[in-house]
């Protein structure tokens, strides 16, 4: 399929703005006949009439209004591209954040808090597994990835991982589920809610192996928000950082067992060194 001629599109935009072929031709410093030819070629390419003539004025058809909307966005994006690469942009694109699906929503909120309420604080959030998110970061589809592990070495891409925080992982449940007197007793007798594919899961499996127990897992969950909901409903004992259940713990509906599991979940912000990083990135990385 033939590509769209953007010169034709720019001429169309000017005619739509002026509402008059002669005025647009004078503004563009081209002849009226040449401009008319350009518009006709665009209409042929789109197979749509873009203007209706009402008296001496050109009025956009429905197809013309759709074309103008797209033209405005195309040329605004082009202007922003030039401004961004010259570092003179007055508008910010959204900060595109990828987060491991098992990452605490409360932690994500803390990370993004410096941008909340700002007029330019537009944010796009994506969740997924580590491999998918790092691939998106590598292709510049994301600006930063929040995860619990440093990206593996030995790849052709050099990621930068900044440790932001860490949380002690404990056992949390409704009071009636935490009447057991030891870690071993909880693992052997209580239904457990455990996140999948995470530092927590690895630490939990290592703990069970050291104690030589076969835990009863009630739910494997790849979303910390779901861990919170299941724990709140009494489905089992959550193996998670307290931040995941901060509201429930504060309200007393969920309690934390007085056991040291020896598991810590670190939080990293992973970026790719760029010549033109997102302007808001340092605002969240330096808080």
């Amino acid at each position: 399929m033939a590509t769209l001629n953007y010169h034709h599109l720019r001429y169309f935009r000017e005619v739509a703005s002026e509402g008059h072929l002669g005025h647009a031709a004078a503004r563009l410093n081209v002849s009226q006949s040449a401009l008319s030819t350009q518009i006709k070629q665009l209409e042929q390419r789109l197979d749509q009439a873009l203007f209706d003539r009402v008296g001496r004025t050109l009025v956009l058809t429905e197809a013309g209004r759709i074309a103008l909307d797209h033209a405005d966005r195309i040329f605004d994006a082009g202007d922003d591209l030039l401004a961004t690469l010259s570092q003179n942009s007055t508008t910010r694109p959204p900060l595109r954040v990828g987060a491991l699906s098992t990452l605490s929503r409360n932690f994500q909120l803390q990370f993004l808090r410096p941008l909340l309420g700002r007029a330019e604080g537009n944010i796009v959030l994506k969740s997924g597994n580590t491999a998918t998110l790092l691939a998106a970061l590598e292709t510049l589809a994301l600006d930063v990835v929040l995860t619990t592990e440093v990206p593996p070495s030995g790849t052709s891409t050099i990621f930068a991982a900044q440790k932001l925080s860490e949380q002690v992982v404990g056992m949390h449940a409704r009071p009636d589920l935490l009447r057991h007197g030891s870690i071993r007793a909880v693992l052997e007798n209580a239904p457990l809610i455990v996140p999948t594919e995470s530092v927590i899961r690895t630490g939990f499996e290592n703990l069970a192996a050291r104690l030589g127990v076969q835990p009863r897992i009630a739910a494997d969950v790849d979303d910390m928000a779901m861990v919170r909901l299941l724990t709140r409903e009494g489905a089992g004992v959550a193996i998670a950082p307290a931040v995941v259940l901060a509201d429930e713990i504060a309200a007393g509906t969920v309690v934390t067992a007085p056991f040291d599991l020896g598991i810590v979940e670190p939080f990293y912000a992973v970026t790719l060194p760029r010549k033109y990083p997102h302007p808001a990135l340092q605002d969240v990385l330096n808080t």
Side-chain angles (χ1 to χ4, degrees), residues 94-117:
L95 179 68
R96 298 160 301 174
V97 180
L100 193 65
S101 57
T102 55
L103 203 66
S104 161
R105 298 298 186 266
N106 284 340
F107 169 73
Q108 293 179 50
L109 180 61
Q110 292 173 13
F111 176 78
L112 296 171
R113 197 176 301 280
L115 302 181
L116 301 181

Side-chain angles (χ1 to χ4, degrees), residues 189-253:
N189 297 288
L192 301 171
I193 303 167
V194 187
T196 59
E197 298 181 13
S198 67
V199 171
I200 298 175
R201 182 54 176 257
T202 301
F204 165 75
E205 291 177 349
N206 289 340
L207 174 63
R210 286 198 307 271
L211 295 175
V213 299
Q214 287 287 94
R216 180 159 62 96
I217 298 177
D220 282 294
V221 186
D222 67 355
D223 185 330
M224 279 297 183
M226 200 64 199
V227 169
R228 177 187 178 189
L229 290 175
L230 289 171
T231 307
R232 192 166 65 189
E233 292 299 314
V237 176
I239 310 297
V243 67
V244 176
L245 295 141
D247 293 341
E248 289 75 14
I249 292 171
T253 56

Side-chain angles (χ1 to χ4, degrees), residues 231-272:
T231 307
R232 192 166 65 189
E233 292 299 314
V237 176
I239 310 297
V243 67
V244 176
L245 295 141
D247 293 341
E248 289 75 14
I249 292 171
T253 56
V254 167
V255 298
T256 301
F259 309 133
D260 182 4
L261 304 184
I263 304 173
V264 175
E265 181 182 42
F267 298 129
Y268 295 96
V270 180
T271 55
L272 196 65

